[in-house]
Short mmCIF file of all heavy atoms in Angstrom, two decimals:
data_model
loop_
_atom_site.label_atom_id
_atom_site.label_comp_id
_atom_site.label_asym_id
_atom_site.label_seq_id
_atom_site.Cartn_x
_atom_site.Cartn_y
_atom_site.Cartn_z
N MET A 1 12.73 1.77 1.81
CA MET A 1 12.87 0.37 1.52
C MET A 1 12.41 -0.50 2.73
O MET A 1 11.75 -1.51 2.52
CB MET A 1 14.29 0.08 1.07
CG MET A 1 14.45 -1.31 0.58
SD MET A 1 13.62 -1.45 -0.95
CE MET A 1 14.19 -3.02 -1.54
N LEU A 2 12.82 -0.05 3.89
CA LEU A 2 12.45 -0.81 5.12
C LEU A 2 10.93 -0.80 5.25
O LEU A 2 10.35 -1.83 5.72
CB LEU A 2 13.11 -0.17 6.31
CG LEU A 2 12.93 -0.99 7.63
CD1 LEU A 2 13.52 -2.35 7.48
CD2 LEU A 2 13.64 -0.22 8.76
N ILE A 3 10.31 0.29 4.96
CA ILE A 3 8.81 0.36 5.05
C ILE A 3 8.18 -0.67 4.13
O ILE A 3 7.18 -1.34 4.47
CB ILE A 3 8.29 1.81 4.83
CG1 ILE A 3 8.83 2.68 5.88
CG2 ILE A 3 6.80 1.83 4.68
CD1 ILE A 3 8.47 4.14 5.65
N LEU A 4 8.71 -0.78 2.85
CA LEU A 4 8.22 -1.76 1.92
C LEU A 4 8.35 -3.15 2.42
O LEU A 4 7.39 -3.99 2.31
CB LEU A 4 8.94 -1.59 0.62
CG LEU A 4 8.47 -2.49 -0.55
CD1 LEU A 4 7.00 -2.29 -0.83
CD2 LEU A 4 9.28 -2.31 -1.82
N VAL A 5 9.55 -3.49 3.02
CA VAL A 5 9.71 -4.86 3.55
C VAL A 5 8.74 -5.11 4.68
O VAL A 5 8.17 -6.16 4.78
CB VAL A 5 11.17 -5.02 4.00
CG1 VAL A 5 11.33 -6.24 4.84
CG2 VAL A 5 12.11 -4.97 2.84
N ALA A 6 8.52 -4.13 5.56
CA ALA A 6 7.58 -4.26 6.69
C ALA A 6 6.17 -4.42 6.15
O ALA A 6 5.42 -5.22 6.67
CB ALA A 6 7.65 -3.06 7.63
N ALA A 7 5.82 -3.70 5.08
CA ALA A 7 4.47 -3.83 4.53
C ALA A 7 4.25 -5.20 3.92
O ALA A 7 3.21 -5.84 4.06
CB ALA A 7 4.21 -2.74 3.48
N LEU A 8 5.27 -5.71 3.23
CA LEU A 8 5.17 -7.05 2.63
C LEU A 8 5.09 -8.12 3.75
O LEU A 8 4.33 -9.09 3.61
CB LEU A 8 6.37 -7.34 1.74
CG LEU A 8 6.38 -6.54 0.42
CD1 LEU A 8 7.67 -6.76 -0.32
CD2 LEU A 8 5.17 -6.93 -0.42
N LEU A 9 5.86 -7.95 4.78
CA LEU A 9 5.69 -8.94 5.92
C LEU A 9 4.37 -8.89 6.54
O LEU A 9 3.76 -9.92 6.85
CB LEU A 9 6.81 -8.57 6.98
CG LEU A 9 6.88 -9.48 8.20
CD1 LEU A 9 7.30 -10.83 7.80
CD2 LEU A 9 7.85 -8.93 9.19
N LEU A 10 3.84 -7.69 6.78
CA LEU A 10 2.49 -7.54 7.34
C LEU A 10 1.44 -8.14 6.39
O LEU A 10 0.54 -8.80 6.84
CB LEU A 10 2.20 -6.04 7.61
CG LEU A 10 0.82 -5.76 8.18
CD1 LEU A 10 0.67 -6.41 9.57
CD2 LEU A 10 0.59 -4.28 8.26
N MET A 11 1.66 -7.95 5.06
CA MET A 11 0.76 -8.49 4.15
C MET A 11 0.75 -10.05 4.20
O MET A 11 -0.29 -10.69 4.10
CB MET A 11 0.99 -8.01 2.71
CG MET A 11 -0.05 -8.40 1.71
SD MET A 11 0.19 -7.63 0.06
CE MET A 11 1.53 -8.66 -0.52
N GLY A 12 1.95 -10.62 4.32
CA GLY A 12 2.11 -12.03 4.41
C GLY A 12 1.36 -12.59 5.66
O GLY A 12 0.71 -13.65 5.58
N VAL A 13 1.40 -11.88 6.76
CA VAL A 13 0.75 -12.29 7.98
C VAL A 13 -0.78 -12.19 7.76
O VAL A 13 -1.50 -13.11 8.18
CB VAL A 13 1.19 -11.40 9.18
CG1 VAL A 13 0.32 -11.65 10.36
CG2 VAL A 13 2.63 -11.68 9.53
N VAL A 14 -1.21 -11.13 7.15
CA VAL A 14 -2.64 -10.95 6.92
C VAL A 14 -3.10 -12.01 5.95
O VAL A 14 -4.16 -12.61 6.19
CB VAL A 14 -2.94 -9.55 6.39
CG1 VAL A 14 -4.37 -9.44 5.87
CG2 VAL A 14 -2.69 -8.53 7.43
N MET A 15 -2.38 -12.31 4.92
CA MET A 15 -2.84 -13.32 3.95
C MET A 15 -2.83 -14.69 4.59
O MET A 15 -3.66 -15.55 4.24
CB MET A 15 -1.90 -13.34 2.75
CG MET A 15 -1.94 -12.12 1.86
SD MET A 15 -3.57 -11.77 1.16
CE MET A 15 -3.65 -13.14 0.02
N GLY A 16 -1.95 -14.98 5.55
CA GLY A 16 -1.94 -16.23 6.26
C GLY A 16 -3.16 -16.41 7.17
O GLY A 16 -3.63 -17.50 7.35
N SER A 17 -3.61 -15.24 7.71
CA SER A 17 -4.79 -15.40 8.57
C SER A 17 -6.12 -15.23 7.91
O SER A 17 -7.16 -15.31 8.53
CB SER A 17 -4.67 -14.24 9.67
OG SER A 17 -4.80 -12.97 9.07
N VAL A 18 -6.04 -15.03 6.60
CA VAL A 18 -7.29 -14.83 5.83
C VAL A 18 -8.21 -16.08 5.89
O VAL A 18 -9.37 -15.96 6.01
CB VAL A 18 -7.02 -14.43 4.41
CG1 VAL A 18 -8.24 -14.73 3.47
CG2 VAL A 18 -6.70 -12.98 4.29
N ALA A 19 -7.54 -17.22 5.97
CA ALA A 19 -8.32 -18.48 5.98
C ALA A 19 -9.10 -18.60 7.26
O ALA A 19 -10.10 -19.30 7.34
CB ALA A 19 -7.39 -19.64 5.89
N HIS A 20 -8.69 -17.89 8.33
CA HIS A 20 -9.44 -17.99 9.61
C HIS A 20 -10.23 -16.79 9.97
O HIS A 20 -10.92 -16.78 10.95
CB HIS A 20 -8.33 -18.22 10.74
CG HIS A 20 -7.47 -19.36 10.43
ND1 HIS A 20 -7.88 -20.66 10.60
CD2 HIS A 20 -6.16 -19.47 10.07
CE1 HIS A 20 -6.92 -21.48 10.27
NE2 HIS A 20 -5.85 -20.78 9.94
N ALA A 21 -10.10 -15.75 9.15
CA ALA A 21 -10.84 -14.49 9.48
C ALA A 21 -12.21 -14.53 8.75
O ALA A 21 -12.35 -15.13 7.70
CB ALA A 21 -9.99 -13.30 8.97
N PRO A 22 -13.16 -13.85 9.35
CA PRO A 22 -14.51 -13.72 8.63
C PRO A 22 -14.34 -12.87 7.42
O PRO A 22 -13.47 -11.99 7.24
CB PRO A 22 -15.37 -13.02 9.71
CG PRO A 22 -14.54 -12.74 10.88
CD PRO A 22 -13.14 -13.27 10.67
N LEU A 23 -15.24 -13.11 6.47
CA LEU A 23 -15.22 -12.47 5.18
C LEU A 23 -15.29 -10.90 5.29
O LEU A 23 -14.50 -10.20 4.60
CB LEU A 23 -16.37 -12.92 4.35
CG LEU A 23 -16.35 -12.40 2.87
CD1 LEU A 23 -15.10 -12.80 2.12
CD2 LEU A 23 -17.56 -12.85 2.10
N PRO A 24 -16.15 -10.28 6.16
CA PRO A 24 -16.18 -8.82 6.23
C PRO A 24 -14.80 -8.24 6.69
O PRO A 24 -14.37 -7.20 6.21
CB PRO A 24 -17.24 -8.48 7.27
CG PRO A 24 -18.15 -9.70 7.21
CD PRO A 24 -17.25 -10.86 6.94
N LEU A 25 -14.13 -8.91 7.57
CA LEU A 25 -12.84 -8.44 8.08
C LEU A 25 -11.85 -8.55 6.93
O LEU A 25 -11.02 -7.65 6.80
CB LEU A 25 -12.42 -9.30 9.33
CG LEU A 25 -11.09 -8.88 9.89
CD1 LEU A 25 -11.16 -7.46 10.46
CD2 LEU A 25 -10.65 -9.85 11.00
N THR A 26 -11.86 -9.64 6.23
CA THR A 26 -10.94 -9.83 5.14
C THR A 26 -11.13 -8.71 4.02
O THR A 26 -10.16 -8.13 3.51
CB THR A 26 -11.17 -11.20 4.44
OG1 THR A 26 -10.95 -12.22 5.44
CG2 THR A 26 -10.21 -11.45 3.30
N LEU A 27 -12.41 -8.45 3.70
CA LEU A 27 -12.67 -7.38 2.78
C LEU A 27 -12.26 -6.02 3.29
O LEU A 27 -11.76 -5.20 2.45
CB LEU A 27 -14.19 -7.39 2.43
CG LEU A 27 -14.67 -8.61 1.65
CD1 LEU A 27 -16.20 -8.55 1.46
CD2 LEU A 27 -14.00 -8.81 0.35
N LEU A 28 -12.50 -5.78 4.52
CA LEU A 28 -12.03 -4.50 5.07
C LEU A 28 -10.50 -4.33 4.97
O LEU A 28 -9.98 -3.27 4.63
CB LEU A 28 -12.44 -4.35 6.53
CG LEU A 28 -12.00 -3.10 7.28
CD1 LEU A 28 -12.66 -1.85 6.69
CD2 LEU A 28 -12.35 -3.18 8.73
N ALA A 29 -9.81 -5.40 5.34
CA ALA A 29 -8.29 -5.38 5.18
C ALA A 29 -7.91 -5.14 3.76
O ALA A 29 -6.94 -4.37 3.50
CB ALA A 29 -7.73 -6.67 5.79
N ALA A 30 -8.58 -5.80 2.85
CA ALA A 30 -8.25 -5.59 1.44
C ALA A 30 -8.51 -4.15 0.97
O ALA A 30 -7.71 -3.60 0.25
CB ALA A 30 -9.09 -6.56 0.53
N VAL A 31 -9.52 -3.60 1.43
CA VAL A 31 -9.85 -2.16 1.09
C VAL A 31 -8.78 -1.22 1.70
O VAL A 31 -8.30 -0.29 1.04
CB VAL A 31 -11.30 -1.82 1.54
CG1 VAL A 31 -11.52 -0.30 1.48
CG2 VAL A 31 -12.33 -2.51 0.71
N VAL A 32 -8.42 -1.44 2.92
CA VAL A 32 -7.40 -0.60 3.53
C VAL A 32 -6.06 -0.69 2.82
O VAL A 32 -5.42 0.28 2.52
CB VAL A 32 -7.24 -1.00 5.06
CG1 VAL A 32 -5.98 -0.37 5.65
CG2 VAL A 32 -8.44 -0.62 5.86
N ILE A 33 -5.65 -1.90 2.41
CA ILE A 33 -4.39 -2.12 1.68
C ILE A 33 -4.51 -1.43 0.35
O ILE A 33 -3.64 -0.82 -0.12
CB ILE A 33 -4.03 -3.57 1.62
CG1 ILE A 33 -3.72 -4.16 2.98
CG2 ILE A 33 -2.91 -3.81 0.63
CD1 ILE A 33 -3.57 -5.59 3.03
N GLY A 34 -5.67 -1.61 -0.31
CA GLY A 34 -5.83 -0.99 -1.61
C GLY A 34 -5.81 0.54 -1.62
O GLY A 34 -5.14 1.15 -2.44
N VAL A 35 -6.42 1.11 -0.61
CA VAL A 35 -6.37 2.60 -0.40
C VAL A 35 -4.95 3.05 -0.18
O VAL A 35 -4.53 4.01 -0.75
CB VAL A 35 -7.33 3.04 0.63
CG1 VAL A 35 -7.12 4.50 1.03
CG2 VAL A 35 -8.81 2.83 0.23
N TRP A 36 -4.29 2.33 0.65
CA TRP A 36 -2.89 2.67 0.97
C TRP A 36 -2.03 2.66 -0.28
O TRP A 36 -1.17 3.56 -0.57
CB TRP A 36 -2.29 1.69 2.02
CG TRP A 36 -0.89 2.09 2.38
CD1 TRP A 36 -0.41 3.12 3.09
CD2 TRP A 36 0.26 1.32 1.91
NE1 TRP A 36 0.89 3.05 3.21
CE2 TRP A 36 1.38 1.97 2.48
CE3 TRP A 36 0.44 0.17 1.16
CZ2 TRP A 36 2.65 1.49 2.26
CZ3 TRP A 36 1.74 -0.30 0.96
CH2 TRP A 36 2.81 0.38 1.48
N LEU A 37 -2.18 1.62 -1.12
CA LEU A 37 -1.41 1.52 -2.39
C LEU A 37 -1.79 2.68 -3.36
O LEU A 37 -0.86 3.17 -4.02
CB LEU A 37 -1.72 0.14 -3.01
CG LEU A 37 -1.05 -1.05 -2.33
CD1 LEU A 37 -1.49 -2.36 -2.95
CD2 LEU A 37 0.48 -0.90 -2.38
N VAL A 38 -3.02 3.01 -3.43
CA VAL A 38 -3.44 4.12 -4.31
C VAL A 38 -2.83 5.40 -3.82
O VAL A 38 -2.34 6.21 -4.64
CB VAL A 38 -4.99 4.16 -4.42
CG1 VAL A 38 -5.43 5.51 -5.04
CG2 VAL A 38 -5.54 2.99 -5.23
N VAL A 39 -2.88 5.68 -2.56
CA VAL A 39 -2.35 6.87 -1.97
C VAL A 39 -0.84 6.91 -2.27
O VAL A 39 -0.28 7.93 -2.70
CB VAL A 39 -2.60 7.03 -0.51
CG1 VAL A 39 -1.79 8.14 0.14
CG2 VAL A 39 -4.09 7.29 -0.28
N PHE A 40 -0.13 5.84 -2.08
CA PHE A 40 1.29 5.72 -2.33
C PHE A 40 1.63 6.04 -3.78
O PHE A 40 2.52 6.76 -4.12
CB PHE A 40 1.78 4.35 -1.95
CG PHE A 40 3.27 4.13 -2.17
CD1 PHE A 40 4.19 4.67 -1.38
CD2 PHE A 40 3.66 3.44 -3.29
CE1 PHE A 40 5.56 4.53 -1.57
CE2 PHE A 40 5.02 3.24 -3.53
CZ PHE A 40 5.94 3.82 -2.67
N ALA A 41 0.84 5.41 -4.71
CA ALA A 41 1.01 5.59 -6.10
C ALA A 41 0.84 7.08 -6.54
O ALA A 41 1.61 7.65 -7.29
CB ALA A 41 0.14 4.69 -6.94
N VAL A 42 -0.24 7.74 -5.97
CA VAL A 42 -0.45 9.13 -6.33
C VAL A 42 0.65 9.98 -5.79
O VAL A 42 1.11 10.87 -6.53
CB VAL A 42 -1.81 9.55 -5.70
CG1 VAL A 42 -2.04 11.03 -5.84
CG2 VAL A 42 -2.96 8.84 -6.47
N ARG A 43 1.08 9.73 -4.59
CA ARG A 43 2.26 10.52 -4.06
C ARG A 43 3.49 10.33 -4.84
O ARG A 43 4.21 11.31 -5.07
CB ARG A 43 2.47 10.16 -2.59
CG ARG A 43 1.42 10.63 -1.64
CD ARG A 43 1.64 10.25 -0.22
NE ARG A 43 2.91 10.78 0.17
CZ ARG A 43 3.58 10.44 1.29
NH1 ARG A 43 3.16 9.52 2.03
NH2 ARG A 43 4.75 11.03 1.60
N GLU A 44 3.80 9.14 -5.24
CA GLU A 44 4.97 8.87 -6.09
C GLU A 44 4.89 9.60 -7.45
O GLU A 44 5.81 10.22 -7.89
CB GLU A 44 5.17 7.35 -6.31
CG GLU A 44 5.68 6.69 -5.10
CD GLU A 44 7.10 7.14 -4.75
OE1 GLU A 44 7.91 7.17 -5.63
OE2 GLU A 44 7.39 7.40 -3.60
N ARG A 45 3.75 9.53 -8.07
CA ARG A 45 3.53 10.12 -9.33
C ARG A 45 3.70 11.73 -9.20
O ARG A 45 4.33 12.34 -10.04
CB ARG A 45 2.22 9.82 -9.94
CG ARG A 45 1.93 10.52 -11.26
CD ARG A 45 0.66 10.03 -11.83
NE ARG A 45 0.87 8.67 -12.40
CZ ARG A 45 0.37 8.22 -13.52
NH1 ARG A 45 -0.24 9.04 -14.30
NH2 ARG A 45 0.59 7.04 -13.86
N HIS A 46 3.11 12.26 -8.14
CA HIS A 46 3.17 13.69 -7.95
C HIS A 46 4.63 14.08 -7.67
O HIS A 46 5.13 15.09 -8.17
CB HIS A 46 2.24 14.08 -6.78
CG HIS A 46 2.32 15.52 -6.52
ND1 HIS A 46 1.77 16.47 -7.33
CD2 HIS A 46 2.83 16.18 -5.45
CE1 HIS A 46 1.96 17.72 -6.84
NE2 HIS A 46 2.57 17.55 -5.67
N SER A 47 5.35 13.27 -6.94
CA SER A 47 6.78 13.58 -6.59
C SER A 47 7.59 13.53 -7.86
O SER A 47 8.46 14.37 -8.06
CB SER A 47 7.25 12.62 -5.58
OG SER A 47 8.67 12.79 -5.35
N ARG A 48 7.40 12.55 -8.71
CA ARG A 48 8.18 12.46 -9.93
C ARG A 48 7.86 13.59 -10.90
O ARG A 48 8.81 14.06 -11.56
CB ARG A 48 7.90 11.07 -10.59
CG ARG A 48 8.54 10.00 -9.85
CD ARG A 48 8.38 8.67 -10.57
NE ARG A 48 8.73 7.61 -9.72
CZ ARG A 48 9.33 6.51 -10.14
NH1 ARG A 48 9.63 6.37 -11.41
NH2 ARG A 48 9.65 5.57 -9.29
N ARG A 49 6.61 13.94 -11.00
CA ARG A 49 6.32 15.12 -11.87
C ARG A 49 6.99 16.40 -11.38
O ARG A 49 7.49 17.14 -12.20
CB ARG A 49 4.78 15.35 -11.91
CG ARG A 49 4.04 14.40 -12.80
CD ARG A 49 2.62 14.91 -12.96
NE ARG A 49 1.89 13.95 -13.72
CZ ARG A 49 0.53 13.89 -13.79
NH1 ARG A 49 -0.10 14.81 -13.12
NH2 ARG A 49 0.03 13.03 -14.47
N ARG A 50 7.02 16.59 -10.09
CA ARG A 50 7.62 17.77 -9.59
C ARG A 50 9.15 17.80 -9.85
O ARG A 50 9.72 18.80 -10.20
CB ARG A 50 7.36 17.89 -8.10
CG ARG A 50 7.78 19.22 -7.52
CD ARG A 50 7.26 19.46 -6.14
NE ARG A 50 6.82 18.23 -5.48
CZ ARG A 50 7.00 18.06 -4.14
NH1 ARG A 50 7.57 18.94 -3.45
NH2 ARG A 50 6.51 16.92 -3.59
N HIS A 51 9.81 16.72 -9.76
CA HIS A 51 11.23 16.62 -9.96
C HIS A 51 11.60 16.68 -11.43
O HIS A 51 12.57 17.31 -11.79
CB HIS A 51 11.77 15.27 -9.43
CG HIS A 51 11.82 15.28 -7.90
ND1 HIS A 51 12.54 16.16 -7.14
CD2 HIS A 51 11.23 14.41 -7.00
CE1 HIS A 51 12.38 15.91 -5.88
NE2 HIS A 51 11.58 14.85 -5.75
N THR A 52 10.75 16.18 -12.32
CA THR A 52 11.10 16.23 -13.78
C THR A 52 10.88 17.63 -14.32
O THR A 52 11.54 18.13 -15.14
CB THR A 52 10.28 15.19 -14.57
OG1 THR A 52 8.88 15.39 -14.30
CG2 THR A 52 10.77 13.84 -14.24
N SER A 53 9.81 18.38 -13.83
CA SER A 53 9.56 19.70 -14.31
C SER A 53 10.60 20.66 -13.79
O SER A 53 10.84 21.73 -14.47
CB SER A 53 8.17 20.20 -14.01
OG SER A 53 7.58 19.57 -13.03
N ALA A 54 11.12 20.45 -12.63
CA ALA A 54 12.09 21.37 -12.03
C ALA A 54 13.46 21.18 -12.69
O ALA A 54 14.27 22.08 -12.66
CB ALA A 54 12.19 21.14 -10.51
N GLY A 55 13.72 19.97 -13.23
CA GLY A 55 15.04 19.69 -13.72
C GLY A 55 15.14 19.86 -15.19
O GLY A 55 15.48 20.32 -16.05
#
């Protein structure tokens, strides 16, 4: 939960600085955040499947 709060705080800082950052840097940050979210979702789905099939 603490990691989620830290990620949201970091996202807030990044979103606040988007107005001052160049477009390529903004797009790179968006891609990095998107990839992180996809990896997180895949890991969560894999973890839930393993727990439901074992139980």
Side-chain angles (χ1 to χ4, degrees):
M1 187 66 169
L2 186 60
I3 293 175
L4 181 60
V5 171
L8 289 173
L9 181 65
L10 181 63
M11 189 173 74
V13 170
V14 169
M15 293 300 290
S17 65
V18 160
H20 305 288
L23 185 61
L25 181 63
T26 303
L27 293 176
L28 177 66
V31 167
V32 168
I33 291 170
V35 167
W36 179 74
L37 287 173
V38 167
V39 168
F40 179 77
V42 167
R43 287 181 60 196
E44 284 294 313
R45 178 174 287 224
H46 180 69
S47 174
R48 287 182 191 220
R49 278 191 187 164
R50 190 168 16 146
H51 288 300
T52 53
S53 22

